[in-house]
Amino acid sequence: MIARLIRKIYGVVPAGVPGALVVALILYLTLAPQPLGDDAPELFEGADKVVHAIMFGVMSFTLSLDRLMGRGSVSGRALAVITAVTISAGIVIEWLQGAMDAGRSADFADAIADTAGALAGAWLFTRISNVLQKDPQ
């Protein structure tokens, strides 16, 4: 079922577009002064760390999926590079938040959450890619 849904999406949207959209959204959400405006929901303490992990997990997963759907396979080396780039993006974004003076602040814990998310996204991709390769429809 998941394999068919992914193939359906990539049958309409070219590989590379989903990843680019995810990256653009994450850049906006992490670098804009108040991306959700004044109505941003107040969640539990540390919720932002969970959000960071989810965002960067989605980024590494989607970039890996783009490569798979565009090239037909993703080597372990390519997956490692995608994951390293995603982790590096998280670190650079945290640095930019501190350097931009736009009402955001750098947080080492956010970079750790970004890293955990990127690794989780890569792991999830390995599980999904196995399903995609076994289900040729």
Side-chain angles (χ1 to χ4, degrees):
M1 182 172 105
I2 289 176
R4 287 188 187 119
L5 175 62
I6 290 171
R7 282 197 187 84
K8 193 173 205 176
I9 291 168
Y10 280 91
V12 176
V13 179
V17 172
L21 291 173
V22 166
V23 169
L25 179 61
I26 289 172
L27 287 172
Y28 173 72
L29 290 172
T30 56
L31 295 175
Q34 276 191 303
L36 301 178
D38 293 332
D39 297 328
E42 287 294 324
L43 301 173
F44 56 91
E45 172 115 13
D48 67 311
K49 306 309 178 250
V50 174
V51 170
H52 272 262
I54 291 169
M55 286 191 304
F56 284 82
V58 169
M59 182 189 289
S60 69
F61 178 83
T62 306
L63 293 175
S64 300
L65 194 56
D66 277 353
R67 176 145 176 125
L68 175 66
M69 299 310 285
R71 296 201 178 197
S73 68
V74 178
S75 67
R77 183 181 196 149
L79 183 59
V81 168
I82 291 167
T83 306
V85 166
T86 304
I87 291 168
S88 298
I91 293 167
V92 169
I93 286 169
E94 287 307 314
W95 177 81
L96 286 171
Q97 285 179 336
M100 286 176 32
D101 193 32
R104 304 296 292 255
S105 61
D107 185 352
F108 181 73
D110 284 350
I112 297 298
D114 299 344
T115 299
L119 293 170
W123 176 84
L124 180 61
F125 171 76
T126 63
R127 306 278 81 68
I128 297 297
S129 67
N130 289 337
V131 171
L132 282 168
Q133 291 170 0
K134 289 179 185 174
D135 182 12
Q137 290 186 25

